């Protein structure tokens, strides 16, 4: 088991490297280097940056260096905790990303748990009672859930709450708790706010996973081992939960590999609409204003988050599936 | 035999329907039979006969959308007589019978055990389900059961997963599970069909032994007349969902009453009476000469890793194939016989050894070194027939397009000439020529195999490598296909390399037989010598394991009287 | 020999019944169509999809106005109802299709404008009316609209107006053009990449396969929207609309090809080991003909299904990117661009009809998903 984990962790390294290259390419993509961007921004604000200062900045960030040197300087800095400097915020990037990424990870995790908690029982019900009214209802919900862009869902929820309750549902905390330290009261306030983004984010994923679970279980339900277990005289409910569900749950768990990326994609938009203090709005802002070190750091960390999530799901999978563990 | 007047299970007028796409398939129609304690009743029939559905109906285990339409399933349960057909199929009462009083084993030992639970878990669960004992007791009982089904290291096997076991071991574990509650009836649904013949013999012996110990009634579903002859006390023959006839095994096998039974037995017995085999030529002309052939498959390697698993599929084979002869290659699964057949065609490049092919012109070509163009030119002279006629015909091409494909690739025939040729070939394989415009889905397995043969002889080949050409077919079709191949040989002088796991077809079809085990040819010789006087221990085991459809090879005593059964 | 599942017994009999009728000479496409037709949702999906593409193609003619025509005095004007009859002076009802105009009142405190239907302002409407100029099917200029106000200066907002007093119906119909075509063209591009890479991967296997598989795995593990956004920042701000359109297309297909490649590879892999392909090889058939004649026909239906299922994802992706302001930009009209207006909570409380393009996205995506699911289920009529 330990060997399996070590192997998987080592296997992450090339992927991480590839993500860092990709993030670096994105940083480099906008026309002109960021010092020119900075100058343009300063000019907009009515400031000027003199040539000497520009030269200093270029020197400091090695703008003129070969691209490989720039990459390794960037990645070397990151390994030491230095993600570069955000010109828009006039702060080191590392001061900006951690809290936001923490919030994003937390929200992704809660949403994932929400999706599993909803999709698993409905998927099982749907498969066992194939073509029943409930199955059709779940299928219909599945299709609509997947067809609705989550930003639209977020706006509709905001619209409804504004019309019906007279207040908007943005944010993750009430104003008095935004700056407060963590406490029971703050957690409670958080719980009161988090369900809307979780609901919005989770709908598409839930819809997809219901279909996945239904299909997986339908495949398993007619397998000989189910029939053999039935021939032993096991009660139906126990039989289904202990055998086909147990087997069908494995591919269900491995969906983390693609559910997590879509969740994070969705998080970006939904947080922007609902104005949540997560990575999304800041990344979008950074991309729009070409604050590329900040954007690059976010891209890198988002990629890492997905990799870690996938790793955890793989480990979980190995724990529950002897075929993976023992091969 | 004791006087057992009352049957333990009476099936009366059972009918099962499958409504599919607006039509109803009557899988079982009005079938009645009795089952007595201690006896083995074989239900025999070809695919589509409804024998499996009948077996499953007894425990109400028919899959959707199948439904018991009528009939009684009267069972002498511990709690008195009960009609199983009247019980709720998910209810408590039937669950008390399933596994406890009537147990079942299935055809697919590879998939009949849960892959994510240990053998022990599944066994203990079955024991605890019907017995009020502690878990520790159940565990020791489970180990004892594994010992009884002759699984080595029972304690260790309890903690193993099914994928760590071979097919035969899994079937033993399944049997252990079925026996866990000492059932009065064991329903065995083709339990040995997926197994090799030597394993089959072991499993059949095991079932017989346990049956004797427990005075258990066994309802044995099979398509194999050989198995019937070896183990059945009584036989019931089914065809298209209906019972054709039943009776003591010696009655049904030796004096069948119904035409269908006679036809079925004839097709089986025909395989037992081989046609005249060709006398070997004094100076045979060799077509293919294989020397020291070795071939390995490796797997498990990664992008930068070396392969971890190496399988020696062929491990030093020497073989010659002469003009116009019929050479059989026999072996169990994994013996390398299919690989050998394909390597003769240059499909798998060997690691070592030489394959010399002598062309009509006398020119000798080394197949393992031949380039694509050379191989292509040889493919007109060496042809192949595949096992599964469903997958070897492209469903998206008409029969004409399929048979004309080798003509198109190797000759300059015009469209009209190809039409004529295809028509000629279809007639040769006994198909009406108007089928040329149809698609393969319009044909049954036997017809498709004829079409495949037509494609194989399209270019007047010298050698045809036939890889299990009859094993996907029902027994009544097998000798038809074999006879067709024999006739074609007479007409065109084709040599056959006939690869099969089935000794009976090999005995019928081949002049010479090579027996393969683990990539090696352990024995080679005339068919009579191999089948009747095998020398190598493996061949001896293989030949003796084959259940012959002839009562004179039977070891188990026959029941002599029908009186014990009252009204039969 | 096979009696593995009970159903075998049944399907064998069914098989024999099928073979007896006209099925014996039906080709794969007829069988697929036969199977597809039984799928009711898929048939609905097909109809709706065809309808939407037809509407998109003839948007200029179908819409009463043109998307760029603005009338600031009708900011957020609410939807009008079509009345077919009017009472004449004698008090009798006569056929006279019309809508009613607006009376504007401005709240003196909040300066919020509100509209009241003005019974006295009658806007006569008709079929095939002369209106704004547009290009029909991009080929010839026309002024004739299927329906609209007789006088093009009169307000006519069947589903309401946007912030600049532009007709939302017109803009939604034109939006279909961009949104639906970006799905189609983007998928065409993904198809080329996907078929080539998936085909190479599946047909040749080996090291190429492993490398391509790693790339696919990697791309699928990256959250798409941040990546799209990152790539979109490379776009110079001053590009003309059509360039932006194609740039977004390329970005979408750079990531969207993986699913198609996966399907193509999977099919190639399973086909490669199929006995009939081996048989063709032993017939001496050339490699090219094996691919084109023996493998492609059974790939085709699967590719079509995969492509159909990829289009809705493209549509969703475009709408998300444009919504965030990093995709298409006005003056291009796409559903995503139109939905940018809904970001303003005040605007949607005042003009909830701004959601209409969103409904269109949902309907289009649903229809394409139904269609694609049906195609996928019917893709292999021999299973």
């Amino acid at each position: 088991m330990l060997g399996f984990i070590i192997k998987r962790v080592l296997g992450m390294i090339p992927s991480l490297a590839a993500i860092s290259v990709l993030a670096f390419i994105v940083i480099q993509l906008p026309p002109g280097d960021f010092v020119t961007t900075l100058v343009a921004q300063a000019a907009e604000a009515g400031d000027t940056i003199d040539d000497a200062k520009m030269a200093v900045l270029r020197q400091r960030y090695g703008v003129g260096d070969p691209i490989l040197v720039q990459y390794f300087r960037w990645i070397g800095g990151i390994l030491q905790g230095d993600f570069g400097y955000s010109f828009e915020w006039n702060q080191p990037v590392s001061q900006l990303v951690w809290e936001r990424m923490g919030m994003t990870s937390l929200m992704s995790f809660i949403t994932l748990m929400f999706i599993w908690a909803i999709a698993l029982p409905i998927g099982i019900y749907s498969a066992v009672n194939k073509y029943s009214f409930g199955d059709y209802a779940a299928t219909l919900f599945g299709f609509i859930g997947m067809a609705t862009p989550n930003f639209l869902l977020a706006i509709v929820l905001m619209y409804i709450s504004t019309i019906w309750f007279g207040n908007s549902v943005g944010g993750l905390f009430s104003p008095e708790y935004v700056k407060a330290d963590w406490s029971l009261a703050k957690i409670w306030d958080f719980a009161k706010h988090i369900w809307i983004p979780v609901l919005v984010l989770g709908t598409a994923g839930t819809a997809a996973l219901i279909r996945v679970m239904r299909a997986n279980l339908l495949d398993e339900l007619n397998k000989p081992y189910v029939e053999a277990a039935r021939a032993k005289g096991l009660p139906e409910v126990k039989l289904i939960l202990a055998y086909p569900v147990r087997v069908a749950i494995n591919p269900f768990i491995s969906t983390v590999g693609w559910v997590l990326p879509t969740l994070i994609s969705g998080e970006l938009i939904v947080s922007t609409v609902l104005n949540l203090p997560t990575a999304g709005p800041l990344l979008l802002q950074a991309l729009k204003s070409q604050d590329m070190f900040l954007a690059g750091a976010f891209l890198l960390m988002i990629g890492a988050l997905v990799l870690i999530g996938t790793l955890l799901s793989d480990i979980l999978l190995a724990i529950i599936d002897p075929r993976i563990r023992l091969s | 035999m004791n006087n057992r007047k009352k049957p333990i299970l009476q099936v009366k007028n059972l009918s099962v329907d499958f409504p599919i796409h607006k039509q109803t398939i009557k899988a079982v129609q009005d079938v009645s039979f009795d089952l007595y304690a201690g006896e083995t009743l074989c239900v025999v029939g070809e695919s589509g006969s409804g024998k499996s559905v009948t077996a499953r109906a007894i425990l109400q285990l028919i899959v959707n959308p199948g439904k018991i339409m009528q009939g009684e399933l009267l069972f002498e349960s511990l709690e008195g007589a009960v009609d199983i057909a009247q019980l709720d199929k998910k209810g408590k009462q039937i669950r008390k019978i399933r596994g406890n009083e009537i147990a079942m084993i299935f055809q697919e030992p590879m998939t009949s055990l849960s892959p994510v639970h240990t053998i022990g878990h599944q066994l203990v669960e079955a024991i605890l389900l019907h017995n009020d004992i502690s878990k520790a007791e159940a565990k020791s009982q489970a180990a004892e059961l594994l010992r009884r089904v002759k699984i080595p290291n029972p304690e260790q096997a309890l903690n193993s997963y099914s994928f760590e076991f071979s097919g035969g071991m899994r079937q033993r574990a399944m049997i252990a599970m079925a026996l866990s509650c000492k059932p009065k009836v064991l329903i065995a649904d083709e339990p040995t069909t997926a197994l090799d013949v030597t394993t089959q013999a072991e499993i059949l012996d095991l079932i017989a032994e346990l049956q004797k110990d427990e005075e258990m009634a066994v309802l044995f579903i099979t398509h194999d007349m050989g198995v019937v002859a070896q183990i059945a006390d009584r036989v019931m023959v089914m065809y298209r969902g209906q019972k054709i006839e039943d009776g003591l095994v010696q009655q049904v096998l030796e004096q069948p009453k119904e035409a269908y039974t006679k036809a079925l037995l004839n097709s089986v017995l025909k395989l037992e009476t081989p046609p005249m085999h060709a006398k070997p030529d004094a100076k045979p002309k060799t077509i293919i000469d294989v020397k020291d052939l070795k071939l390995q498959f490796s797997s498990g390697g990664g992008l930068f890793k070396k392969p971890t698993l190496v399988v020696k599929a062929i491990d030093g084979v020497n073989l010659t194939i002469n003009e116009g002869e019929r050479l059989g290659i026999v072996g169990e699964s994994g013996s390398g016989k299919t690989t050998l057949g394909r390597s003769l065609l240059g499909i798998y490049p060997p690691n070592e050894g030489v394959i010399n092919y002598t062309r009509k012109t006398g020119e000798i070509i080394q197949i393992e070194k031949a380039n694509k163009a050379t191989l292509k030119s040889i493919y007109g002279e060496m042809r192949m027939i595949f096992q599964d006629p469903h997958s070897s015909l492209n469903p998206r091409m008409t029969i004409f397009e399929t048979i004309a494909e080798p003509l198109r690739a190797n000759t300059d025939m015009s469209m009209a000439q190809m039409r004529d040729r295809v028509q000629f070939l279809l007639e040769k394989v006994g198909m009406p020529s108007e089928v040329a415009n149809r698609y393969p889905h319009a044909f049954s397995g036997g017809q498709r195999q004829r079409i495949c043969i037509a494609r194989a002889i399209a270019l007047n080949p010298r050698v045809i490598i036939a890889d299990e050409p009859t094993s996907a077919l029902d027994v009544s079709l097998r000798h038809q296909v074999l006879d067709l191949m024999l006739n074609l040989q007479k007409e065109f002088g084709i040599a056959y390399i006939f690869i099969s796991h089935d000794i009976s077809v090999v005995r019928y079809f081949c002049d010479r037989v090579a027996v393969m085990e683990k990539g090696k040819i352990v024995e080679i010789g005339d068919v009579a010598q191999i089948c009747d006087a095998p020398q190598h221990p493996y061949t001896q085991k293989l030949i003796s394991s084959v259940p012959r459809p002839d009562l004179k090879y039977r070891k188990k005593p026959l029941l002599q009287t029908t009186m014990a059964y009252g009204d039969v | 020999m096979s009696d593995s599942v009970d159903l075998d017994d049944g399907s064998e009999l069914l098989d024999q019944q099928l073979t007896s009728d006209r099925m014996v000479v039906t080709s794969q496409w007829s069988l697929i169509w036969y199977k597809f037709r039984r799928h009711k949702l898929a048939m609905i999906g097909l109809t709706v999809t065809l309808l939407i593409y037809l509407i998109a193609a003839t948007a200029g003619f179908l819409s009463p106005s043109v998307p760029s025509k603005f009338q600031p005095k009708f900011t957020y004007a609410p939807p009008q109802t079509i009345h077919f009859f009017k009472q004449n002076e004698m008090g009798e009802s006569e056929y006279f299709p019309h809508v009613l105009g607006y009376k504007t009142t401005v709240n003196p405190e909040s300066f919020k404008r509100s509209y009241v239907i003005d019974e006295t302002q009658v806007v006569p409407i008709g079929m095939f009316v002369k209106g704004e100029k547009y290009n029909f099917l991009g080929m010839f200029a026309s002024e004739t609209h299927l329906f609209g106000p007789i006088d093009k200066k009169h307000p006519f907002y069947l589903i309401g107006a946007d912030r600049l007093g532009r007709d939302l119906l017109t803009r939604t119909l034109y939006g279909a053009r961009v949104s639906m075509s970006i799905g189609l063209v983007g998928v065409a591009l993904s198809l080329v990449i996907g078929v080539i890479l998936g085909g190479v991967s599946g047909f040749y296997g080996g090291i190429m396969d492993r490398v391509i598989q790693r790339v696919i795995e990697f791309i699928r593990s990256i959250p798409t929207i941040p990546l799209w956004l990152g790539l979109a920042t490379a776009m110079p701000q001053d590009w003309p609309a059509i360039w932006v359109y194609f740039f977004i297309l390329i970005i979408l297909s750079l990531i969207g090809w993986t699913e198609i490649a996966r399907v193509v590879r999977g099919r190639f892999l399973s086909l490669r080991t199929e006995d009939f392909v081996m048989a063709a090889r032993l017939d001496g058939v050339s490699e090219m003909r094996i691919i084109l004649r023996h493998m492609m026909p059974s790939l085709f239906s699967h590719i079509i299904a995969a492509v159909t299922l990829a289009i809705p994802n493209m549509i969703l992706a475009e709408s998300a990117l444009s919504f965030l302001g990093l995709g298409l930009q006005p003056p291009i009209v796409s559903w995503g661009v139109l939905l940018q207006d809904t970001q303003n909570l005040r605007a949607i409380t005042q003009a909830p009809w701004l959601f209409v393009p969103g409904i269109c996205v949902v309907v289009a995506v649903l229809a394409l998903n139904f269609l694609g699911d049906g195609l996928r289920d019917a893709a292999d009529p021999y299973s």
Side-chain angles (χ1 to χ4, degrees), chain C residues 189-209:
Chain C
L189 206 57
S190 309
L191 179 70
V192 175
I193 308 176
V195 167
I196 292 175
L197 290 184
V200 165
S201 194
F203 191 76
Y204 292 107
I207 189 99
M208 283 299 281
D209 178 37

Side-chain angles (χ1 to χ4, degrees), chain B residues 142-148 151-159:
Chain B
E144 179 54 33
L145 279 165
L146 290 183
R147 188 167 305 131
R148 280 191 62 194
I151 288 180
N153 297 328
E155 273 80 15
Q156 201 186 325
L158 283 180
N159 293 320

Side-chain angles (χ1 to χ4, degrees), chain A residues 1-2 4-9 12 253-254 307-321 324-325:
Chain A
M1 192 67 201
L2 193 67
F4 174 82
I5 294 175
I6 291 170
K7 230 166 82 183
R8 287 290 292 116
V9 171
M12 267 171 64
I253 286 174
S254 61
L307 284 181
I308 292 168
T310 315
L311 172 75
L312 291 178
S313 76
D314 279 357
I315 293 173
L316 183 60
L317 209 56
I319 291 173
I320 65 166
D321 193 338
I324 295 172
R325 190 171 62 228

Side-chain angles (χ1 to χ4, degrees), chain A residues 239-296:
Chain A
L239 164 82
I240 291 196
L241 291 181
Y243 289 94
V245 168
R246 179 76 173 67
V247 177
I249 210 161
N250 297 353
F252 183 77
I253 286 174
S254 61
T255 55
V256 169
W258 58 266
V259 170
L260 203 55
T262 51
L263 270 187
I264 289 172
S265 274
E267 186 268 338
L268 200 147
I269 309 183
V270 171
S271 302
T272 307
V273 174
L274 296 176
N275 194 22
L276 309 179
T278 58
L282 209 57
L283 169 61
L284 186 64
Q285 181 60 33
L287 285 169
K288 277 184 174 165
S289 60
Q290 307 209 334
D291 188 357
M292 294 324 282
F293 277 124
L294 184 56

Side-chain angles (χ1 to χ4, degrees), chain C residues 290-322:
Chain C
I290 288 181
I291 295 179
L292 293 180
R293 186 70 189 83
H294 294 257
M295 293 169 100
M296 265 315 191
S298 43
L299 263 170
F300 236 59
S301 49
H302 292 271
I303 292 179
I304 291 174
V307 161
T308 313
L309 285 170
I311 297 176
N313 290 336
M314 290 269 167
I315 293 173
L316 284 175
E318 182 278 325
S319 71
L321 279 189
S322 303

Side-chain angles (χ1 to χ4, degrees), chain B residues 165-178:
Chain B
F165 275 13
S166 70
M169 293 293 267
R170 290 186 202 195
Q171 198 59 292
R172 285 170 191 272
M174 272 307 290
I175 293 171
M177 205 177 309

